[in-house]
C-alpha cells in the first residue's frame, strides 16, 4: 500500500481512540446532539480503523509465514503449508487494500439521492427523436435490472414515434451515484428507417442526470420569481387528459429555467413534481458552474459531465459502443440497448475512484 494511504489510515486509528474517550465523558453524553454527531463519526471511523487493524494483522501473518519458509527449508510439508498461507494472506490483503482505498475517497452525499434523467433530441431531426426513444428504453430496462423505480414525468412526442424531450424520475439504491456520468452528448451512427438509399446518418441526443435535491437543503426559490402556466396534456392518457388543463409548466424568470409535468391527472401533483424538477435544474446549474471553475484548474479524466460534451458513440452497423472519456469500446451494442449497462457504469465509477485517489495523493504531498 502506498505510504500516503498508510498515513491516512494511521490518522483513523488515532481518531478512533479520541472518539472512544469523548463518548465516555459525562458532559458529552448529556448533550444529545453532540453525542449523536460523535456516534455517527465513530461508526464511520471504526469501520475504516477495524479493517486497517485486520490489514496490519495480515501483514504480521505474512511475515510469520515467510519466516517459516526460511526455517523449514528441508521440510517439504511445512514449506507447502507456509506457501499456502502466504498466498491466502496476500489475496486477503489485496482485497482489503482495495476496500480501504474506496473508503478513504471523499463521498458525495448526492450519490445516494434519487435522480431526474432528461433526454433531449439534438441534431438529426426525426432520427434524433427516434434515438431519444431508444435511449429511454435503454435506461428504463437498466432501471428494471437494478430494481429501481422509474416514473415518467413529462414527454414531448415526435411525429414518428420518438421524443423531442422526455424526463424520468428514478428512485432506488445509489441512483445518482450510478447514473451521474451519463450526462453529455450521445451520438448515434446508423441507417435511419426513413433512409431509402441505405446511407449511414449521424445524429445526437443530450442526456442530463440531476440529483433530486434534499428538501432540507434545496435551493430557496422566491415564488415571485416563478411564472406558472397550465395547459392540456398531450399523448396517451385516456379521455380525461384532453378535458382538463392538468399539465403544469413552471418558468424560473431570473434564470429562464423551465420545468413541466403532465403525467398525473391532478394539477396540484403535477405542480409539485414540476417544482422538484425545477429545483434540481437550478441546483445542477450551480453545480455545473462550480465544476467549470474546477475544470479550469484541472481537466478531469471523466470530464465535467457537461451535457454539451460528446461522451458516447453508438455505432449500429459495427455493433460498437464507445465511451470516449475512458476509451472504453464494447462490441455488444444490442445488449447495451436492452439495458445491459452495468459494465459501463462500473468502468466509469472505477475511473472516478482512480481520479479521486490521484487527487488524494497529490493533496497529501502538497
Amino acid at each position: 500500500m502506498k505510504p500516503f494511504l498508510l498515513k491516512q489510515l494511521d490518522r483513523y486509528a488515532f481518531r478512533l481512540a479520541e472518539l472512544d474517550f469523548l463518548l465516555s465523558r459525562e458532559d458529552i453524553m448529556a448533550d444529545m446532539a453532540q453525542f449523536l454527531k460523535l456516534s455517527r463519526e465513530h461508526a464511520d471511523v471504526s469501520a475504516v480503523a477495524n479493517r486497517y487493524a485486520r490489514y496490519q494483522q495480515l501483514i504480521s501473518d505474512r511475515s510469520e509465514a515467510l519466516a517459516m519458509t526460511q526455517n523449514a527449508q528441508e521440510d517439504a510439508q511445512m514449506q507447502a503449508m507456509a506457501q499456502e498461507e502466504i498466498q491466502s494472506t496476500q489475496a486477503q490483503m489485496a482485497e482489503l487494500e482495495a476496500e480501504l482505498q474506496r473508503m478513504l475517497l471523499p463521498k458525495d452525499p448526492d450519490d445516494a439521492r434519487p435522480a431526474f434523467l432528461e433526454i433531449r433530441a439534438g441534431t438529426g431531426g426525426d432520427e434524433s427523436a427516434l434515438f431519444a426513444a431508444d435511449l429511454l428504453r435503454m435506461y428504463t430496462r437498466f432501471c428494471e435490472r437494478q430494481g429501481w423505480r422509474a416514473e415518467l414525468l413529462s414527454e414531448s412526442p415526435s411525429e414518428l414515434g420518438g421524443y423531442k424531450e422526455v424526463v424520468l424520475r428514478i428512485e432506488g439504491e445509489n441512483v445518482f451515484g450510478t447514473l451521474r456520468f451519463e450526462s453529455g452528448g450521445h451520438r448515434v451512427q446508423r441507417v435511419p428507417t426513413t433512409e431509402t438509399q441505405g446511407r449511414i446518418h449521424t445524429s445526437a441526443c443530450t442526456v442530463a442526470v440531476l440529483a433530486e435535491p434534499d428538501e432540507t437543503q434545496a435551493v430557496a426559490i422566491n415564488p415571485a420569481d416563478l411564472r406558472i402556466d397550465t395547459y392540456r396534456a398531450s399523448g396517451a392518457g385516456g379521455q380525461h387528459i384532453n378535458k382538463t388543463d392538468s399539465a403544469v409548466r413552471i418558468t424560473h424568470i431570473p434564470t429562464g429555467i423551465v420545468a413541466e409535468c403532465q403525467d398525473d391527472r391532478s394539477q396540484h401533483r403535477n405542480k409539485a413534481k414540476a417544482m422538484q424538477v425545477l429545483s434540481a435544474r437550478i441546483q445542477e446549474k450551480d453545480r455545473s458552474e462550480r465544476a467549470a471553475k474546477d475544470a479550469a484548474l484541472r481537466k478531469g479524466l471523466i470530464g465535467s459531465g457537461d451535457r454539451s460534451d460528446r461522451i458516447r458513440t453508438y455505432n449500429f452497423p459495427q455493433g460498437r459502443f464507445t465511451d470516449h472519456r475512458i476509451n472504453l469500446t464494447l462490441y455488444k451494442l444490442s445488449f447495451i440497448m436492452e439495458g445491459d449497462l452495468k459494465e459501463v457504469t462500473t468502468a466509469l465509477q472505477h475511473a472516478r475512484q482512480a481520479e479521486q485517489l490521484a487527487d488524494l495523493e497529490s493533496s497529501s504531498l502538497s
Side-chain angles (χ1 to χ4, degrees):
M1 189 179 292
K2 294 183 178 181
F4 85 94
L5 288 174
L6 293 174
K7 288 182 181 178
Q8 295 276 342
L9 290 167
D10 285 336
R11 291 174 191 162
Y12 274 83
F14 180 75
R15 180 58 178 166
L16 183 61
E18 283 185 332
L19 290 168
D20 285 335
F21 169 72
L22 290 171
L23 288 170
S24 68
R25 285 172 40 176
E26 292 185 4
D27 58 329
I28 296 293
M29 288 187 281
D31 185 344
M32 186 55 64
Q34 181 76 347
F35 181 77
L36 289 174
K37 179 182 177 182
L38 290 174
S39 295
R40 285 192 292 268
E41 184 185 355
H42 185 277
D44 292 338
V45 170
S46 62
V48 177
N50 291 340
R51 284 170 175 78
Y52 182 43
R54 173 61 181 155
Y55 183 81
Q56 291 175 309
Q57 181 60 50
L58 287 170
I59 292 176
S60 176
D61 293 346
R62 186 181 62 177
S63 297
E64 291 179 7
L66 286 169
M68 189 185 302
T69 62
Q70 295 172 357
N71 297 331
Q73 292 180 359
E74 297 179 0
D75 189 331
Q77 187 176 0
M78 287 292 291
Q79 280 277 351
M81 288 176 58
Q83 287 295 339
E84 185 177 341
E85 176 69 16
I86 290 170
Q87 291 177 3
S88 173
T89 301
Q90 288 179 334
Q92 292 179 64
M93 286 176 62
E95 187 176 330
L96 258 182
E97 184 173 340
E99 188 176 358
L100 284 166
Q101 285 184 3
R102 287 194 297 270
M103 295 179 80
L104 287 176
L105 297 177
K107 296 177 178 63
D108 188 334
D110 283 342
D111 281 354
R113 301 290 304 164
F116 297 108
L117 188 144
E118 307 174 352
I119 305 170
R120 292 183 180 83
T123 56
D126 290 333
E127 168 62 9
S128 176
L130 291 171
F131 182 53
D134 292 337
L135 289 176
L136 175 64
R137 172 188 168 88
M138 179 184 76
Y139 287 122
T140 302
R141 290 292 179 89
F142 181 62
C143 290
E144 293 171 358
R145 289 168 180 255
Q146 295 291 106
W148 297 341
R149 179 174 175 267
E151 176 187 7
L152 185 67
L153 289 188
S154 68
E155 57 180 330
S156 177
S158 67
E159 295 178 0
L160 294 181
Y163 293 100
K164 298 174 185 175
E165 177 180 308
V166 62
V167 180
L168 288 176
R169 179 185 182 271
I170 304 172
E171 186 176 11
E173 183 178 354
N174 201 44
V175 170
F176 183 69
T178 303
L179 293 176
R180 62 188 300 158
F181 298 117
E182 295 303 300
S183 292
H186 294 238
R187 183 178 68 172
V188 60
Q189 295 171 327
R190 63 183 177 186
V191 179
T193 55
T194 55
E195 170 59 52
T196 58
Q197 298 182 27
R199 292 174 298 187
I200 296 173
H201 287 224
T202 299
S203 56
C205 290
T206 56
V207 172
V209 180
L210 320 174
E212 181 179 87
D214 186 336
E215 291 183 1
T216 61
Q217 300 176 357
V219 292
I221 300 176
N222 186 346
D225 291 337
L226 301 178
R227 184 177 72 245
I228 301 176
D229 301 306
T230 58
Y231 59 97
R232 292 187 182 181
S234 60
Q239 294 179 352
H240 172 88
I241 206 165
N242 296 317
K243 291 183 178 179
T244 62
D245 292 343
S246 59
V248 176
R249 180 184 296 111
I250 304 177
T251 304
H252 185 239
I253 297 170
T255 61
I257 295 174
V258 178
E260 57 186 51
C261 185
Q262 58 176 319
D263 76 309
D264 203 295
R265 293 186 175 188
S266 164
Q267 184 185 110
H268 177 74
R269 286 193 290 269
N270 280 337
K271 180 181 176 182
K273 291 176 182 177
M275 279 298 297
Q276 281 186 311
V277 176
L278 184 73
S279 179
R281 288 178 178 171
I282 293 173
Q283 181 169 291
E284 177 62 20
K285 180 176 181 292
D286 293 340
R287 181 201 294 269
S288 296
E289 288 173 352
R290 290 195 302 271
K293 291 179 181 178
D294 293 341
L297 298 176
R298 181 186 56 81
K299 179 63 176 175
L301 170 67
I302 296 177
S304 66
D306 187 277
R307 63 195 68 179
S308 64
D309 292 343
R310 189 195 73 188
I311 64 167
R312 296 258 173 85
T313 295
Y314 303 73
N315 186 300
F316 278 76
Q318 298 178 14
R320 173 171 54 82
F321 170 97
T322 303
D323 193 296
H324 303 288
R325 297 164 296 178
I326 56 174
N327 296 320
L328 174 68
T329 296
L330 301 172
Y331 287 90
K332 49 184 286 187
L333 184 56
S334 60
F335 294 99
I336 288 172
M337 298 309 296
E338 287 296 320
D340 186 5
L341 279 168
K342 187 65 177 177
E343 184 176 354
V344 179
T345 58
T346 299
L348 286 163
Q349 287 172 326
H350 286 169
R352 179 195 182 203
Q353 290 168 1
E355 189 179 44
Q356 288 178 309
L357 193 62
D359 287 345
L360 194 64
E361 182 171 10
S362 63
S363 64
S364 70
L365 296 175
S366 60

